[in-house]
Amino acid sequence: MSFFRITLHRSAIGLPKRTRGVLAALGLRKRTQTVFHPVTPQFGGLILKVKELVRVEEVDRALSPAELREERKPEPGFWIESAVPR
Protein backbone atom coordinates (compact mmCIF):
# COMPACT_ATOMS: atom_id res chain seq x y z
CA MET A 1 0.00 0.00 0.00
CA SER A 2 1.35 3.42 -0.90
CA PHE A 3 1.04 6.64 1.04
CA PHE A 4 0.99 10.35 0.34
CA ARG A 5 3.78 12.15 2.19
CA ILE A 6 2.32 15.63 2.68
CA THR A 7 4.48 18.50 3.99
CA LEU A 8 3.08 21.95 4.72
CA HIS A 9 5.33 24.31 2.77
CA ARG A 10 3.47 27.65 2.99
CA SER A 11 1.69 29.18 5.95
CA ALA A 12 -2.10 29.42 6.08
CA ILE A 13 -2.10 32.86 7.77
CA GLY A 14 -4.59 35.16 6.08
CA LEU A 15 -6.28 32.42 4.07
CA PRO A 16 -10.02 31.70 4.17
CA LYS A 17 -11.41 29.60 7.00
CA ARG A 18 -12.38 26.90 4.51
CA THR A 19 -8.76 26.49 3.36
CA ARG A 20 -7.53 26.33 6.95
CA GLY A 21 -10.18 23.68 7.58
CA VAL A 22 -8.80 21.54 4.76
CA LEU A 23 -5.33 21.75 6.29
CA ALA A 24 -6.77 20.78 9.68
CA ALA A 25 -8.53 17.81 8.06
CA LEU A 26 -5.18 16.70 6.66
CA GLY A 27 -3.64 17.06 10.13
CA LEU A 28 -1.28 19.91 9.23
CA ARG A 29 -0.80 22.70 11.79
CA LYS A 30 2.77 24.02 11.47
CA ARG A 31 5.06 24.76 8.54
CA THR A 32 7.38 21.88 7.59
CA GLN A 33 5.13 19.44 9.44
CA THR A 34 4.87 16.13 7.58
CA VAL A 35 1.98 13.67 7.69
CA PHE A 36 1.28 10.41 5.88
CA HIS A 37 -2.11 9.40 4.48
CA PRO A 38 -3.06 6.41 2.32
CA VAL A 39 -3.51 7.02 -1.39
CA THR A 40 -7.28 7.36 -1.76
CA PRO A 41 -9.51 9.67 -3.82
CA GLN A 42 -10.66 11.44 -0.64
CA PHE A 43 -7.15 12.51 0.34
CA GLY A 44 -6.33 13.30 -3.27
CA GLY A 45 -9.23 15.76 -3.38
CA LEU A 46 -8.13 17.43 -0.15
CA ILE A 47 -4.61 17.78 -1.50
CA LEU A 48 -5.87 19.41 -4.71
CA LYS A 49 -7.69 22.06 -2.66
CA VAL A 50 -4.43 23.17 -1.01
CA LYS A 51 -1.93 22.22 -3.72
CA GLU A 52 -0.24 25.64 -3.58
CA LEU A 53 0.55 25.24 0.13
CA VAL A 54 1.86 21.68 0.35
CA ARG A 55 4.50 19.41 -1.15
CA VAL A 56 3.35 15.88 -1.91
CA GLU A 57 5.31 12.72 -2.63
CA GLU A 58 4.07 9.17 -3.03
CA VAL A 59 6.02 6.74 -0.83
CA ASP A 60 5.82 3.01 -0.18
CA ARG A 61 5.45 3.20 3.58
CA ALA A 62 4.76 5.77 6.29
CA LEU A 63 7.84 6.75 8.27
CA SER A 64 7.81 6.85 12.05
CA PRO A 65 8.49 10.15 13.87
CA ALA A 66 11.97 8.90 14.80
CA GLU A 67 12.75 8.12 11.15
CA LEU A 68 11.55 11.59 10.09
CA ARG A 69 13.74 13.22 12.75
CA GLU A 70 16.76 11.21 11.60
CA GLU A 71 16.07 12.18 7.99
CA ARG A 72 16.06 15.90 8.85
CA LYS A 73 19.30 15.68 10.82
CA PRO A 74 22.03 17.53 8.90
CA GLU A 75 25.29 15.92 7.96
CA PRO A 76 28.36 17.27 9.74
CA GLY A 77 29.81 20.23 7.89
CA PHE A 78 33.48 19.48 8.49
CA TRP A 79 35.89 17.09 10.17
CA ILE A 80 38.97 18.01 12.18
CA GLU A 81 41.74 15.77 10.89
CA SER A 82 44.53 16.99 13.13
CA ALA A 83 45.36 19.91 15.35
CA VAL A 84 47.16 22.81 13.77
CA PRO A 85 50.64 23.41 15.32
CA ARG A 86 50.94 26.87 16.81
Side-chain angles (χ1 to χ4, degrees):
M1 178 178 207
S2 57
F3 290 86
F4 286 129
R5 176 186 178 150
I6 308 164
T7 303
L8 185 58
H9 182 66
R10 301 281 309 261
S11 174
I13 294 174
L15 293 177
K17 195 172 187 177
R18 182 175 180 166
T19 305
R20 286 181 278 152
V22 172
L23 290 175
L26 286 170
L28 295 168
R29 292 182 299 278
K30 300 178 181 179
R31 284 189 62 227
T32 69
Q33 181 181 6
T34 301
V35 294
F36 293 90
H37 290 292
V39 176
T40 61
Q42 292 82 10
F43 286 114
L46 288 174
I47 291 168
L48 284 177
K49 287 179 181 287
V50 292
K51 62 184 176 285
E52 297 86 8
L53 306 175
V54 297
R55 289 186 177 165
V56 181
E57 301 173 34
E58 191 172 341
V59 295
D60 293 333
R61 66 181 185 89
L63 300 177
S64 70
E67 290 172 324
L68 281 173
R69 204 173 315 111
E70 192 63 33
E71 190 178 90
R72 283 193 311 266
K73 189 175 182 182
E75 293 190 20
F78 59 90
W79 290 271
I80 298 176
E81 293 180 5
S82 62
V84 177
R86 295 191 189 248

